[in-house]
């Protein structure tokens, strides 16, 4: 769903900006969902160029999108997570997306990002499940290992690319949120 940040999200975004405002980002990439741009708007206000890429959007949850968690939907989520971890990566909810479908669009977004070698330091703001899948792609892990990447809102994963491979050098860093 394309929702706005709530009060907690705005608070976390402010703490993230305070912690990383001095990083000399060459470019910012955000999903097409407005809350990612809202999360990093203070960086954009500094004059850092940004680009929206729908390939960075969250995995579509289909018929469960935006609905309150109820016992039946929680059971459905648990089952689909088990399916994905068991390698059934084409499984999805009606009207939603599978991990393999998200991977395909993320590879397109990654092509765009990597086609600008002059952008040495980039900030990518995206969403939890999609982030886990992207980190699998970057580290050459199978998508079935997506749960090895913990996530909470507005944490930092710092990834270095040496021209050959990606390496995560800062993992799920939430120190800035403790302020």
């Amino acid at each position: 769903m394309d929702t706005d940040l709530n009060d907690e999200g705005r608070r976390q975004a402010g703490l993230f900006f305070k912690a990383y405002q001095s990083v000399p980002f060459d470019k910012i990439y955000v999903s097409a969902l407005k809350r990612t741009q809202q999360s990093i708007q203070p960086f954009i206000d500094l004059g850092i160029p940004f680009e929206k890429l729908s390939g960075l959007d969250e995995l579509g949850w289909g018929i469960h999108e935006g609905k309150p968690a109820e016992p039946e939907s929680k059971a459905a989520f648990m089952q689909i997570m088990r399916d994905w971890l068991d390698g059934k990566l084409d499984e999805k909810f009606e009207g939603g997306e599978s991990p393999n479908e998200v991977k395909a669009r993320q590879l397109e977004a990654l092509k765009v990002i990597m086609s600008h070698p002059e952008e040495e330091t980039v900030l990518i703001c995206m969403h939890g499940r999609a982030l886990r899948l992207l980190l699998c792609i970057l580290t050459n892990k199978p998508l079935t290992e997506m749960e090895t990447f913990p996530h909470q809102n507005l944490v930092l994963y710092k990834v270095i690319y040496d021209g050959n491979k990606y390496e995560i050098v800062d993992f799920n860093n939430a120190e800035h949120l403790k302020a």
Side-chain angles (χ1 to χ4, degrees), residues 38-92:
Q38 291 170 350
S39 294
I40 51 78
Q41 188 63 48
F43 293 95
I44 295 169
D45 292 344
L46 292 176
I48 300 170
F50 76 101
E51 184 173 345
K52 292 181 181 184
L53 297 174
S54 60
L56 300 176
D57 287 358
E58 179 60 294
L59 178 141
W61 296 103
I63 60 171
H64 293 288
E65 195 83 35
K67 295 197 175 159
E70 296 178 1
E72 185 178 288
S73 62
K74 284 182 183 180
F77 276 103
M78 293 303 293
Q79 182 58 54
I80 204 157
M81 294 296 166
R82 283 192 294 275
D83 288 346
W84 292 345
L85 297 177
D86 287 341
K88 299 173 187 169
L89 297 168
D90 291 314
E91 292 294 316
K92 60 185 176 181

Side-chain angles (χ1 to χ4, degrees), residues 8-68:
E8 179 65 7
R10 285 188 290 277
R11 184 189 73 77
Q12 290 173 331
L15 293 170
F16 187 90
F17 178 71
K18 184 177 177 187
Y20 299 107
Q21 64 185 328
S22 63
V23 175
F25 293 112
D26 297 311
K27 180 94 173 255
I28 299 168
Y29 292 93
V30 297
S31 81
L33 302 175
K34 62 187 170 185
R35 64 188 176 273
T36 57
Q37 182 176 338
Q38 291 170 350
S39 294
I40 51 78
Q41 188 63 48
F43 293 95
I44 295 169
D45 292 344
L46 292 176
I48 300 170
F50 76 101
E51 184 173 345
K52 292 181 181 184
L53 297 174
S54 60
L56 300 176
D57 287 358
E58 179 60 294
L59 178 141
W61 296 103
I63 60 171
H64 293 288
E65 195 83 35
K67 295 197 175 159

Side-chain angles (χ1 to χ4, degrees), residues 136-171:
C136 286
I137 293 167
L138 295 179
T139 58
N140 289 313
K141 289 183 179 234
L143 298 182
T144 56
E145 294 185 27
M146 66 181 93
E147 293 301 319
T148 62
F149 298 106
H151 174 266
Q152 52 193 328
N153 291 337
L154 280 152
V155 296
L156 177 75
Y157 274 89
K158 184 176 180 182
V159 179
I160 302 285
Y161 181 66
D162 69 5
N164 245 354
K165 65 178 177 39
Y166 298 91
E167 178 186 4
I168 299 172
V169 296
D170 201 353
F171 189 89

Side-chain angles (χ1 to χ4, degrees), residues 116-144:
H116 298 281
E118 72 282 3
E119 298 169 2
E120 294 184 9
T121 305
V122 298
L123 174 62
I124 299 174
C125 186
M126 54 188 301
H127 311 270
R129 182 61 49 187
L131 174 64
R132 288 177 167 138
L133 294 169
L134 182 63
L135 290 169
C136 286
I137 293 167
L138 295 179
T139 58
N140 289 313
K141 289 183 179 234
L143 298 182
T144 56

